Amino acid sequence: MGNVCGDLTLRAKAALDSATFIIARTAFSESFESLEGYEVRTLDNIFESSRNFDTLNKKLAAEVLKAAKLSDVCYCVDGAVCEDEACKIILARHKNCEVLDTVSKGAHAYNSARLKAVQPVFVSAYSVGNLKSCRAVCVYDIDCYFVAIDIKQKLTDIFGEETGCTFIRGDSVKKIKIYEIDRQKNYDATCAVAVEEGDFLHKDRYDYADLEQIIKLLRAPGGCPWDRAQTSETIKQNMIEEAYELVDAIERDDADGMEEETGDVLLQAAFHAVLAEERGDFTGADAITRNVKKLIFRHSHIFGADKAKSEGEALGVWEKNKLKEKGQETVSETLLAVPKNFPACMRAQKVGKRAAKCGFDFSSSASASEKIWEEVKEMVACQMDGDKDGTFEEAGDVLFAAVNTVRLAGVDCEEALRAATDKFVKRFVECEKLIIADGKDIKEVTADEFMFNFYWEKAKNALAEN
């Protein structure tokens, strides 16, 4: 039976009057005053012997169910029955329970704060870890300072610390900012916080749904002419560019840049999802659902029966599940699945790795390197014969052989080539600086192989010293 002070319904009072056994969750609440005149047993002793709230609620439920085997029990809790975790356990295990409800603690907070939101989320402070992004929320059971800290942090993540909220203590109502939730003078079981998001254009925090919403606003009649004109085809290159910019920020260890570029990558994904929704293909929620389900399926060593004790074993499980998920039965299918628009070096390395899984590979990096010289000779021969098509084909074979050699040496080809290019640029810049410092023109120096090599080695030494 739910109850707040002074809110006993006629049916609840009748149940108390006829009850042979009355149990109250706790005597340390204002609602307990409503039970004055009745013989009541409290379960406060269980609070002291419980290590956490999960254990507490299980023990409370077990005690009530134990008493119910002997006689009819009237179990009294604060607020609505649906807000009490022990009651949920009791209702799941005992089908003949009758619920006599009253005004919930969440509804009391909602009404006290005069929120405008039609469907706010009501949640106990002790379950706030499960709270997701929402338009409005009423958090009750903020009964101590440490709980208030958790509530402040969670609501800051969702709404922003500068967003206004209402702090409720019993019948007392106070307007504060979210960052002030843990700065109140005292806390008790009647304390709650109610907050709702502000005007869309002036919110402190936004989520993925807001990202899609702003795109829809921009594409709506009267929106931005550029955004309205875009298709998945016209903006596909943007995704590649933003992904590279994010990787660049990661390599520079630039946290601020990573934050910005991560947002830009998400924007591109959301834009494609909105376009797909307009076409009737899928929604952003569909894409996210598919991704989460894929992660669950591929991590069967975490969420299923497979076992993996090392990183390598975990990767093996992932690859096995990936093949099953995509319905790929042959090695050829896995090679054909490598995107053709990958950077050429990256695609060559991935194709080589997948072919190697069936044993189609060189025995070592050294043996693979022999293929390089073979392909170089064939390329030079074609070039000497004036065979442009042959030269083109053999040049590709040279590069593919080089990729295999580097791959078998345990080095990422894309990263190695990028690092080599960076090294060349640095040396060239330093070399030109030295040439200019000597009053010479680099174009004239490069014509003299000996002189250019002199400056090149000097540049290498200068960079090595630094």
Side-chain angles (χ1 to χ4, degrees):
M1 180 175 69
N3 176 37
V4 294
C5 185
D7 282 329
L8 278 179
T9 63
L10 292 176
R11 289 183 64 207
K13 190 174 186 311
L16 288 170
D17 291 339
S18 62
T20 56
F21 199 34
I22 301 173
I23 299 177
R25 187 175 189 270
T26 178
F28 298 101
S29 68
E30 291 185 23
S31 60
F32 188 72
E33 297 175 14
S34 301
L35 301 179
E36 186 177 355
Y38 294 100
E39 184 178 344
V40 182
R41 174 193 167 193
T42 70
L43 301 180
D44 290 312
N45 62 304
I46 297 179
F47 285 74
E48 300 173 0
S49 63
S50 300
R51 293 175 297 176
N52 53 56
F53 284 93
D54 183 54
T55 301
L56 168 65
N57 290 314
K58 289 178 180 178
K59 286 185 176 181
L60 292 172
E63 196 66 23
V64 174
L65 290 170
K66 179 181 177 182
K69 291 181 179 180
L70 303 176
S71 64
D72 290 338
V73 173
C74 188
Y75 180 49
C76 303
V77 299
D78 302 307
V81 170
C82 64
E83 296 172 337
D84 189 277
E85 294 300 320
C87 284
K88 294 176 185 178
I89 297 173
I90 294 169
L91 290 171
R93 296 181 182 177
H94 202 297
K95 304 302 181 183
N96 296 323
C97 295
E98 181 182 7
V99 176
L100 303 175
D101 231 334
T102 184
V103 176
S104 74
K105 289 179 278 189
H108 175 68
Y110 174 84
N111 295 329
S112 299
R114 300 290 192 269
L115 296 187
K116 299 176 183 177
V118 177
Q119 293 181 318
V121 175
F122 295 164
V123 61
S124 168
Y126 291 94
S127 300
V128 79
N130 299 320
L131 182 64
K132 299 179 180 179
S133 294
C134 56
R135 302 312 177 201
V137 64
C138 298
V139 185
Y140 49 88
D141 292 338
I142 308 177
D143 55 10
C144 74
Y145 166 73
F146 298 104
V147 170
I149 293 176
D150 291 339
I151 301 308
K152 181 190 75 171
Q153 293 174 340
K154 187 67 176 182
L155 296 185
T156 293
D157 288 341
I158 298 175
F159 298 98
E161 64 177 13
E162 290 288 342
T163 299
C165 64
T166 304
F167 187 84
I168 300 104
R169 182 185 292 105
D171 294 325
S172 173
V173 176
K174 181 181 180 182
K175 297 294 183 181
I176 63 173
K177 299 286 189 181
I178 285 178
Y179 71 82
E180 298 177 294
I181 290 175
D182 62 348
R183 300 183 184 183
Q184 304 310 299
K185 291 183 178 179
N186 54 67
Y187 303 89
D188 58 44
T190 69
C191 290
V193 166
V195 59
E196 59 186 339
E197 65 180 7
D199 174 70
F200 183 80
L201 297 180
H202 301 96
K203 291 167 59 174
D204 287 333
R205 300 283 287 183
Y206 295 91
D207 58 17
Y208 179 80
D210 292 320
L211 184 59
E212 286 198 339
Q213 179 63 18
I214 192 69
I215 296 170
K216 291 176 181 179
L217 289 173
L218 292 172
R219 287 182 59 79
C224 173
W226 184 90
D227 289 282
R228 294 190 63 193
Q230 301 314 304
T231 65
S232 290
E233 182 66 26
T234 62
I235 64 171
K236 65 182 182 182
Q237 187 64 28
N238 294 3
M239 175 59 85
I240 296 174
E241 293 174 3
E242 299 298 353
Y244 273 115
E245 289 177 7
L246 173 56
V247 172
D248 179 64
I250 292 171
E251 292 179 343
R252 289 184 284 104
D253 195 23
D254 179 1
D256 184 67
M258 287 172 60
E259 178 184 352
E260 180 181 359
E261 300 305 338
T262 297
D264 288 343
V265 170
L266 288 173
L267 170 61
Q268 294 305 314
F271 210 133
H272 284 287
V274 169
L275 293 170
E277 185 176 351
E278 292 174 355
R279 298 192 301 267
D281 293 340
F282 62 87
T283 67
D286 293 332
I288 292 171
T289 298
R290 181 172 182 169
N291 196 261
V292 173
K293 286 184 175 180
K294 178 166 64 177
L295 288 173
I296 293 171
F297 179 77
R298 293 189 185 179
H299 284 89
S300 56
H301 54 294
I302 303 297
F303 307 113
D306 286 322
K307 303 295 181 183
K309 296 181 179 179
S310 66
E311 181 181 345
E313 289 179 355
L315 185 59
V317 171
W318 172 278
E319 292 294 344
K320 178 199 71 173
N321 290 334
K322 183 177 180 181
L323 290 175
K324 184 177 180 180
E325 171 194 297
K326 293 184 176 296
Q328 296 173 343
E329 297 180 356
T330 66
V331 178
S332 296
E333 287 176 315
T334 68
L335 266 59
L336 291 170
V338 178
K340 291 185 177 181
N341 61 352
F342 267 12
C345 190
M346 181 187 296
R347 181 172 180 237
Q349 178 171 266
K350 204 168 190 68
V351 166
K353 286 175 67 175
R354 291 191 176 182
K357 289 179 180 178
C358 71
F360 190 87
D361 203 3
F362 294 96
S363 60
S364 66
S365 178
S367 63
S369 68
E370 296 173 4
K371 190 69 175 175
I372 297 177
W373 309 119
E374 177 185 324
E375 300 296 352
V376 167
K377 289 178 182 178
E378 292 178 1
M379 182 189 74
V380 172
C382 289
Q383 190 179 20
M384 296 292 289
D385 293 340
D387 183 357
K388 291 184 178 181
D389 291 339
T391 300
F392 176 85
E393 181 180 348
E394 297 303 335
D397 290 343
V398 170
L399 294 172
F400 193 79
V403 166
N404 283 326
T405 302
V406 174
R407 172 178 59 81
L408 285 165
V411 176
D412 183 275
C413 304
E414 198 75 21
E415 291 183 6
L417 182 57
R418 185 164 58 246
T421 304
D422 288 342
K423 181 173 65 177
F424 174 83
V425 171
K426 288 179 182 178
R427 287 180 179 176
F428 190 93
V429 169
E430 183 65 22
C431 183
E432 187 172 24
K433 283 181 181 179
L434 293 171
I435 292 171
I436 292 173
D438 284 347
K440 299 177 181 178
D441 187 337
I442 191 170
K443 294 179 181 177
E444 296 175 356
V445 172
T446 53
D448 185 334
E449 185 177 349
F450 174 79
M451 186 58 66
F452 184 77
N453 285 338
F454 167 76
Y455 280 108
W456 186 259
E457 289 299 322
K458 196 173 179 181
K460 285 172 60 177
N461 293 333
L463 289 173
E465 291 174 2
N466 295 330

